[in-house]
Amino acid sequence: MVNGNVADLLCLLKHCNTLRSVTQVHTHIFKTGLDSDAFITGNLILHCATLISDALHHAYSLLLHLPNPDAFMYNTVIRGFSDSDHPHNSFTTFIDMRRNSNNLQPDSFSFAFSLKAAANIRSYNTGIQLHSQAILYGLHNHLYVGTTLVSMYAECGWICHARKVFDEMFEPNVVAWNAMITACIRCYDVKGAETLYKRMQVRDIHSSNIMLSGYMKSGEVHLAMKLFSEMPLKDDVSWSTMITGFSHNECFNEAFDLFLQSHKLGSKPNEVSLTGILSVCTQSGEFQFSKILHCYLEKSGFVSRISITNALMDTYFKSGNIKMARLVFEKMPGKKNLVSWTTMVAGIAMQGYGEEAMKLFHEMVDSGVKPDGIAFISILYACSHAGLIEHGCKYFSMMKNEYGIEPSYEHYGCMVDLYGRSGELKKAYEFIMKMPIEANDVIWRTLLGACGIHGDVELGEEVRRRLLEVDPNDSGDCVLLSNIYASVGKWKDVAGVRQMMDSQGLMKTPGWSMSEVS
């Protein structure tokens, strides 16, 4: 009868997908007296810690109230926290395990999951303490622990420590080799990664994909192309790494060619390659191709992927096709995420529809999506371009007071632009002087541009003096000041600025523009 109850409870637990349903099953377990069964409680903790997003703290609470939790239960919670938004709680659980009255000993999983948490928050001090503990328990040479130590040190920027751990490993497997190659690439040592890659006696496709990514990130496009052509097997990751790599390195024609080649060879594109090729369309101005791609996405069902629709919206906005961007946004299946809302707000703001951008921002908040710093940059940008000073000030205040977001240079720059575009140049200057951080060249340059628009010579000269302290060799500042003088007819001063540029060897950067001919 008990075995039947266990089977029934495990079946019930399998179908739980919310904290509420798990709590109901837990209550049933308690009432039937099966809460002392380690197998049942272990499965309950596993389900809460790894399968339900908001049930991790419930799993931790269960662990604390169990009379005799075992190592598996502790490791499950440590693992859950290491993959969560609160990885530091992995260390608390690890300490609880060591202090357990049953003298439980941490095993290789305990250290590997805790080290992963240290890597996620880039806590070198915690990582090295865990390394010391691993040595104490004789687990530092364990293949699983050693591989995670390599990753942890790499994330913290200590490549020399990562290499030392790797060199001391007894017969590292391909996973350990891949971890060390990844560590080199993360620390910008692509040559070191290449040397290790060539030393590998056994490689898998993941090894080659890591090198492809490393080459592309360091701008070694020709080396990536050579390796890609020599690879006997290529998977979706290989193709998407090359396509996105070409995009990041502005090799747009190569990206298009490779995407079409992969399609001809029957390789199915994934989310990464599709968002990459949409990015290529946006950067290169190939908006006709993006329309063709949109049709393909509709037919293949990729429009149900939120990352794809976000990229598609951004492409349409950059091409000025607001109607299609709105249509994609409205047809998005399921709940829209923060990126979706922010893309929409930013796109509408870019086209000058300040009132509509504010309406969308409030719809986002009402839908339960919490705005982040990027969302506030978008709405401040909208207020700036629509001349909505009062609204802009309100959002700037809201960001810090209601959401606890500390303003960055971008937020301060938006506020200076807001005042400057509206002709409130003195307020913009006073705002800069009251900033808790030192204004950078971009912020001063924003105000200098506003002085040029409104012909404020006196303030323009003051801002130019400030810019000389921050970035004295930018020819654009001289051009802006020259334009301010020209706008009020001070031709002698215009000539003086040009003579100064000649004497200092400063050259005006030529402008350029691009248009698509269909």
Side-chain angles (χ1 to χ4, degrees):
M1 184 67 179
V2 173
N3 288 335
N5 283 340
V6 169
D8 291 342
L9 284 169
L10 289 177
C11 186
L12 278 173
L13 190 59
K14 185 179 178 182
H15 291 90
C16 290
N17 55 13
T18 63
L19 177 57
R20 182 179 179 183
S21 58
V22 166
T23 306
Q24 290 172 345
V25 172
H26 184 200
T27 303
H28 186 65
I29 290 170
F30 186 79
K31 287 180 178 178
T32 54
L34 289 171
D35 55 312
S36 59
D37 188 305
F39 182 70
I40 286 287
T41 51
N43 272 277
L44 181 61
I45 289 173
L46 178 65
H47 200 82
C48 291
T50 60
L51 297 177
I52 302 177
S53 59
D54 59 344
L56 185 52
H57 286 283
H58 185 70
Y60 182 58
S61 179
L62 281 172
L63 181 69
L64 293 179
H65 289 90
L66 285 173
N68 297 302
D70 57 25
F72 170 79
M73 296 176 187
Y74 274 106
N75 290 342
T76 300
V77 176
I78 293 171
R79 172 191 170 191
F81 278 128
S82 71
D83 292 325
S84 74
D85 294 332
H86 308 282
H88 57 278
N89 287 339
S90 292
F91 315 134
T92 306
T93 312
F94 181 87
I95 293 168
D96 290 341
M97 182 183 188
R98 289 199 57 213
R99 291 175 177 172
N100 186 280
S101 58
N102 294 329
N103 294 319
L104 283 175
Q105 299 242 339
D107 57 19
S108 59
F109 294 102
S110 315
F111 282 105
F113 295 144
S114 299
L115 284 165
K116 184 180 179 183
N120 287 344
I121 61 173
R122 293 175 173 79
S123 176
Y124 170 75
N125 290 334
T126 304
I128 204 165
Q129 287 177 45
L130 287 166
H131 190 177
S132 301
Q133 289 292 313
I135 294 171
L136 183 66
Y137 284 97
L139 292 168
H140 59 295
N141 287 324
H142 188 283
L143 187 60
Y144 192 26
V145 176
T147 303
T148 321
L149 276 167
V150 169
S151 299
M152 182 275 296
Y153 281 126
E155 284 291 341
C156 296
W158 289 83
I159 187 66
C160 54
H161 289 9
R163 186 58 188 264
K164 190 172 187 299
V165 171
F166 177 77
D167 290 340
E168 291 175 355
M169 291 174 70
F170 180 70
E171 294 185 358
N173 62 8
V174 68
V175 178
W177 278 91
N178 289 344
M180 190 62 226
I181 293 171
T182 303
C184 289
I185 289 170
R186 281 176 181 162
C187 295
Y188 309 103
D189 183 14
V190 179
K191 289 298 179 185
E194 185 180 60
T195 302
L196 286 166
Y197 178 77
K198 291 177 178 177
R199 278 180 52 198
M200 290 179 74
Q201 294 180 350
V202 179
R203 300 176 190 142
D204 59 12
I205 197 166
H206 186 51
S207 315
S208 300
N209 288 339
I210 294 169
M211 279 310 306
L212 287 178
S213 177
Y215 283 141
M216 283 299 193
K217 286 177 180 176
S218 63
E220 301 285 357
V221 177
H222 63 292
L223 291 176
M225 291 172 70
K226 183 176 183 294
L227 175 58
F228 184 75
S229 65
E230 293 171 351
M231 288 171 62
L233 293 173
K234 303 175 180 70
D235 61 6
D236 293 345
V237 176
S238 314
W239 290 96
S240 62
T241 300
M242 290 298 292
I243 291 167
T244 54
F246 281 136
S247 171
H248 292 152
N249 287 283
E250 298 185 356
C251 301
F252 303 131
N253 291 334
E254 290 84 350
F256 284 122
D257 290 344
L258 197 65
F259 180 79
L260 294 172
Q261 183 185 339
S262 68
H263 187 66
K264 287 177 183 177
L265 293 173
S267 175
K268 292 184 178 179
N270 58 18
E271 285 186 50
V272 178
S273 61
L274 287 168
T275 52
I277 203 66
L278 281 168
S279 174
V280 171
C281 293
T282 303
Q283 294 180 71
S284 64
E286 288 285 352
F287 298 119
Q288 289 300 323
F289 189 85
S290 66
K291 294 176 183 177
I292 298 169
L293 194 58
H294 188 181
C295 294
Y296 170 78
L297 296 172
E298 290 278 2
K299 289 179 181 178
S300 57
F302 274 105
V303 286
S304 62
R305 312 284 179 88
I306 199 160
S307 63
I308 298 291
T309 50
N310 290 342
L312 191 58
M313 270 196 301
D314 185 55
T315 302
Y316 277 127
F317 272 127
K318 296 287 173 58
S319 68
N321 197 334
I322 305 173
K323 183 179 178 181
M324 284 304 299
R326 279 198 184 110
L327 186 64
V328 172
F329 181 74
E330 289 165 2
K331 288 177 66 178
M332 286 178 70
K335 188 177 180 181
K336 301 171 180 66
N337 66 11
L338 177 60
V339 177
S340 311
W341 284 103
T342 304
T343 302
M344 194 66 189
V345 172
I348 291 293
M350 190 192 307
Q351 302 301 327
Y353 298 100
E355 297 283 352
E356 188 174 347
M358 288 194 298
K359 182 183 176 184
L360 279 165
F361 183 87
H362 289 289
E363 284 179 17
M364 174 183 72
V365 173
D366 292 341
S367 72
V369 176
K370 184 180 177 181
D372 63 357
I374 297 172
F376 275 104
I377 290 173
S378 299
I379 195 63
L380 288 172
Y381 177 91
C383 293
S384 171
H385 283 252
L388 303 170
I389 294 182
E390 290 184 11
H391 289 90
C393 293
K394 184 188 75 173
Y395 289 120
F396 187 80
S397 176
M398 180 195 299
M399 177 178 66
K400 188 172 182 178
N401 297 335
E402 294 186 28
Y403 292 95
I405 300 171
E406 284 296 326
S408 66
Y409 277 114
E410 287 81 3
H411 299 109
Y412 288 119
C414 284
M415 288 301 294
V416 172
D417 189 51
L418 174 67
Y419 286 124
R421 283 178 183 269
S422 302
E424 299 284 355
L425 301 181
K426 289 185 179 179
K427 284 187 178 180
Y429 182 79
E430 290 169 0
F431 179 86
I432 293 174
M433 300 309 294
K434 291 178 182 177
M435 282 167 49
I437 57 176
E438 196 75 27
N440 62 10
D441 58 321
V442 177
I443 290 175
W444 283 117
R445 205 162 282 131
T446 300
L447 181 54
L448 184 61
C451 291
I453 293 169
H454 297 284
D456 193 327
V457 176
E458 185 179 346
L459 184 57
E461 290 174 335
E462 170 62 21
V463 173
R464 169 60 180 152
R465 282 192 289 273
R466 299 278 183 175
L467 272 166
L468 284 171
E469 298 172 5
V470 181
D471 185 12
N473 298 317
D474 192 292
S475 62
D477 301 336
C478 298
V479 174
L480 281 172
L481 183 60
S482 173
N483 291 342
I484 294 172
Y485 286 138
S487 68
V488 294
K490 290 194 170 187
W491 303 110
K492 287 185 179 180
D493 291 319
V494 171
V497 171
R498 289 178 179 174
Q499 286 175 4
M500 180 195 69
M501 289 177 67
D502 290 338
S503 65
Q504 295 180 3
L506 297 176
M507 297 288 291
K508 179 182 176 182
T509 304
W512 63 276
S513 61
M514 179 179 67
S515 61
E516 180 182 6
V517 180
S518 56

